[in-house]
């Protein structure tokens, strides 16, 4: 196939038919109603199909999964033969269980009429069953880093045959403290390989991460980091903390049938808020780190189907929910990490739809609001209340994942160099705390 990247500069959008994809993939796209690639797909797919490493930057809801999924499946279809027992041909790492499941669902739609097999491994599910499934081998393994390491330690999976690596929402992995897990996984991967790294933001640590992970990558970017989707209408209500529950009920009552995602900062706060809403007759559920995987899956499924109209969540859900029908996102508590605001509101206005993002801001959160507006280079329109003077606190603010993201304290950069011809092989550095303890802190 002739290289396409040279003729695809600028904003021109081509049809999927022009990519030279196999008929089975074009048929799968047609069944899903996809005719024209999104901007990130427009830029990334041709380069990935040519075999380049990719550093992809795009806001949430822009089609990143298909941007790496299509070229990945195309490459695997060109590799005949079944995977050997306990091996995989491609590995996709994502920071949360919800995002792993979302990616796998999208890939299964692409591979439905092919011999390719997609397998997921995440925490909170039976490790015995996962060991059994992996014993037969898989083409595409989608995993959270922590559970993958548990399986590697048990000898249940070998990564020596992996020739395609995808890191999705890599900046969130940094926030959740997964850099040490990545260092342990990377030396076990096959070489040479193609690596694709996708993220919604590009903090300094991401630059270091890409330098360690990628070999002469092609950078594709369709929106400045920190920019929300154009079809999201944003507003802010200045309201003191005791007034937040009443303001939320007022907003929910305006459109009770609309799907509304409400973000709280802590697991306890999310659960308490949800129970209060249910007691007042609202059709609500919650997802956070104290919920089992089954409970989280059932809540998201019910929310997707419209059986539940209000879902209260911590940041564990900010990147793992891809439900086009979400009409409103309410930031009940502002996140302590400004980037997380962008990820949260990116849960609405998906797949070309319009959406509304509503935020509450108490006096003690004014500084957080200032950081968010500085990141986004906008001033969020005020819907009610007056901007109060910021409340200063002597307590040092925690850096990291904020409302349930956790695990990002005192994190080190990914390191430099690629010794012995391997990437990511520098020994882990950090707090010295057990890895399991750090993972439990995440919501």
């Amino acid at each position: 196939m002739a290289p396409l990247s040279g003729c695809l500069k600028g904003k021109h959008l081509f049809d999927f038919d022009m990519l030279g994809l196999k008929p089975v993939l074009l048929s799968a796209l047609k069944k899903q109603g996809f005719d024209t690639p999104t901007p990130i797909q427009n830029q990334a797919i041709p380069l990935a199909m040519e075999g380049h490493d990719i550093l992809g930057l795009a806001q949430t809801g822009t089609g990143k999964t298909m941007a790496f999924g299509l070229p990945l499946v195309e490459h695997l279809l060109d590799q005949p033969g079944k995977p050997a027992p306990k091996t995989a041909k491609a590995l996709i790492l994502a920071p949360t269980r919800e995002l792993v499941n979302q990616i796998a669902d999208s890939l299964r739609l692409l591979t439905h009429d092919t011999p390719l097999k997609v397998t997921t491994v995440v925490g909170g599910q039976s490790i015995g069953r996962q060991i059994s499934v992996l014993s037969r081998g898989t083409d595409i393994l989608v995993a959270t880093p922590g559970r993958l390491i548990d399986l590697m330690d048990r000898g249940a999976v070998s990564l020596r045959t992996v020739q395609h690596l995808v890191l999705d929402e890599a900046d969130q992995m940094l926030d959740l403290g997964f850099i040490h897990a990545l260092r342990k996984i990377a030396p076990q991967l096959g070489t040479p390989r193609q690596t694709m790294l996708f993220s919604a933001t590009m903090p300094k640590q991401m630059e270091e991460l890409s330098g360690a992970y990628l070999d002469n990558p092609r950078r594709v970017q369709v929106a400045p980091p920190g920019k929300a989707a154009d079809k999201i209408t944003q507003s802010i209500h200045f309201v003191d903390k005791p007034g937040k529950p009443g303001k939320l009920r007022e907003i929910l009552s305006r459109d009770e049938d609309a799907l509304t995602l409400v973000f709280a900062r802590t697991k306890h706060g999310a659960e308490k808020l949800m129970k209060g809403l249910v007691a007042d007759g609202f059709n609500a559920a919650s997802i956070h780190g104290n919920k089992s995987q089954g409970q989280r899956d059932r809540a998201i499924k019910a929310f997707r189907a419209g059986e539940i109209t209000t879902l209260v969540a911590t940041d564990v859900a900010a990147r793992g929910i891809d439900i086009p029908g979400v009409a409103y996102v309410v930031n009940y508590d502002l996140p302590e990490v400004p980037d997380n605001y962008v990820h949260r509101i990116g849960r609405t206005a998906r797949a070309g739809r319009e959406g509304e993002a509503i935020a509450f801001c108490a006096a003690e959160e004014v500084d957080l609001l200032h950081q968010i507006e500085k990141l986004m280079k906008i001033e969020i329109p005020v819907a009610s209340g007056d901007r109060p003077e910021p409340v200063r606190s002597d307590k040092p603010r925690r850096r990291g994942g904020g409302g349930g993201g956790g695990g990002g304290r005192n994190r080190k950069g990914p390191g430099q160099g690629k010794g012995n011809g391997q990437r990511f092989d520098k020994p882990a550095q950090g707090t010295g705390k057990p890895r399991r303890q750090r993972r439990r802190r995440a919501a």
Side-chain angles (χ1 to χ4, degrees):
M1 181 182 68
L4 292 171
S5 57
C7 63
L8 294 173
K9 295 179 180 180
K11 298 182 179 180
H12 174 67
L13 295 178
F14 53 90
D15 292 332
F16 281 113
D17 290 343
M18 295 176 60
L19 283 172
L21 294 167
K22 289 179 172 53
V24 66
L25 290 180
L26 293 175
S27 176
L29 290 169
K30 186 175 182 180
K31 288 179 182 178
Q32 296 174 58
F34 295 136
D35 297 317
T36 303
T38 65
I40 189 66
Q41 295 164 4
N42 177 27
Q43 294 188 41
I45 291 175
L47 293 169
M49 290 183 65
E50 292 172 11
H52 297 288
D53 282 8
I54 301 294
L55 172 58
L57 299 172
Q59 61 202 28
T60 56
T62 54
K64 286 180 289 184
T65 301
M66 202 70 72
F68 63 74
L70 275 170
L72 176 61
V73 172
E74 177 75 18
H75 285 311
L76 292 177
L77 289 174
D78 288 332
Q79 301 174 17
K82 294 183 178 180
K86 298 184 179 181
T87 70
K89 295 181 178 180
L91 173 64
I92 301 173
L93 294 176
T96 66
R97 292 172 265 182
E98 283 75 19
L99 187 53
V100 164
N101 292 333
Q102 173 191 315
I103 292 169
D105 288 344
S106 297
L107 292 178
R108 289 187 179 116
L109 291 174
L110 291 179
T111 59
H112 183 267
D113 296 322
T114 76
L116 298 181
K117 181 180 180 182
V118 180
T119 300
T120 62
V121 292
V122 298
Q125 295 183 352
S126 168
I127 195 168
R129 183 178 181 278
Q130 292 173 355
I131 291 172
S132 176
V133 171
L134 287 172
S135 68
R136 298 186 288 273
T138 187
D139 295 283
I140 304 174
L141 178 59
V142 192
T144 51
R147 177 49 62 94
L148 178 59
I149 286 180
D150 290 342
L151 290 163
M152 292 167 59
D153 289 344
R154 294 173 183 238
V157 61
S158 169
L159 304 180
R160 57 183 171 79
T161 59
V162 171
Q163 294 187 336
H164 301 275
L165 172 66
V166 177
L167 303 174
D168 196 18
E169 303 293 6
D171 54 343
Q172 181 80 336
M173 289 192 202
L174 289 175
D175 283 344
L176 293 179
F178 283 131
I179 185 61
H180 308 295
L182 295 177
R183 288 199 187 104
K184 186 171 182 179
I185 292 168
Q188 307 302 319
L189 301 171
T191 54
R193 65 176 174 272
Q194 180 186 42
T195 302
M196 293 184 276
L197 185 154
F198 283 80
S199 176
T201 62
M202 193 65 179
K204 181 179 179 181
Q205 293 90 346
M206 277 291 297
E207 294 279 4
E208 300 170 357
L209 190 68
S210 63
Y213 270 44
L214 306 177
D215 181 14
N216 191 27
R218 300 298 177 91
R219 176 167 173 157
V220 294
Q221 180 174 338
V222 298
K227 185 178 185 299
D230 293 335
K231 294 188 177 182
I232 299 177
T233 301
Q234 300 181 61
S235 63
I236 186 86
H237 293 265
F238 290 106
V239 55
D240 59 15
K241 191 173 181 180
K244 285 186 177 183
K247 178 61 70 172
L248 178 61
R249 285 156 177 76
E250 174 188 327
I251 289 171
L252 293 177
S253 298
R254 294 174 187 170
D255 193 354
E256 294 185 2
D257 294 329
L259 297 187
T260 303
L261 183 57
V262 180
F263 281 102
R265 184 174 296 125
T266 67
K267 294 176 283 187
H268 173 73
E271 190 68 11
K272 181 179 179 180
L273 179 58
M274 179 274 293
K275 289 181 178 178
L277 290 173
V278 171
D280 287 344
F282 290 93
N283 191 8
S286 65
I287 58 171
H288 49 72
N290 286 346
K291 297 284 188 177
S292 70
Q293 185 62 43
Q295 289 174 318
R296 287 155 68 166
D297 290 344
R298 287 191 293 274
I300 291 176
K301 182 178 180 180
F303 187 56
R304 185 187 300 273
E307 298 167 5
I308 290 170
T309 54
T310 302
L311 186 63
V312 185
T314 55
D315 280 313
V316 70
R319 310 205 191 187
I321 295 180
D322 184 9
I323 301 175
V326 174
Y328 301 96
V329 169
V330 178
N331 277 279
Y332 186 85
D333 299 312
L334 291 181
E336 293 185 342
V337 177
D339 287 334
N340 285 350
Y341 175 84
V342 181
H343 304 316
R344 289 178 177 188
I345 69 175
R347 299 306 99 196
T348 188
R350 299 181 75 83
R353 292 174 170 84
E354 296 182 351
E356 186 171 345
I358 302 167
F360 298 166
C361 182
E364 56 268 31
E365 297 174 298
V366 172
D367 184 55
L368 298 177
L369 175 62
H370 174 72
Q371 294 177 42
I372 291 168
E373 292 179 327
K374 182 178 179 181
L375 171 71
M376 302 183 69
K377 296 180 175 61
I378 65 168
E379 184 171 317
I380 300 174
V382 178
S384 68
D386 297 318
R387 184 185 294 258
E389 291 296 322
V391 175
R392 301 298 180 185
S393 173
D394 294 332
K395 182 180 179 181
R397 176 166 292 126
R398 182 180 67 186
R399 296 177 61 85
R409 303 183 194 180
N410 301 323
R411 61 181 181 267
K412 303 290 184 180
Q416 307 291 330
K418 306 173 184 178
N420 300 324
Q422 291 283 351
R423 289 179 277 185
F424 342 113
D425 57 355
K426 185 174 180 179
Q429 304 174 14
T431 62
K433 296 179 183 178
R435 184 178 68 247
R436 291 181 184 276
Q437 180 181 347
R438 290 198 302 273
R439 285 207 305 273
R440 283 199 298 271
R441 191 177 295 120

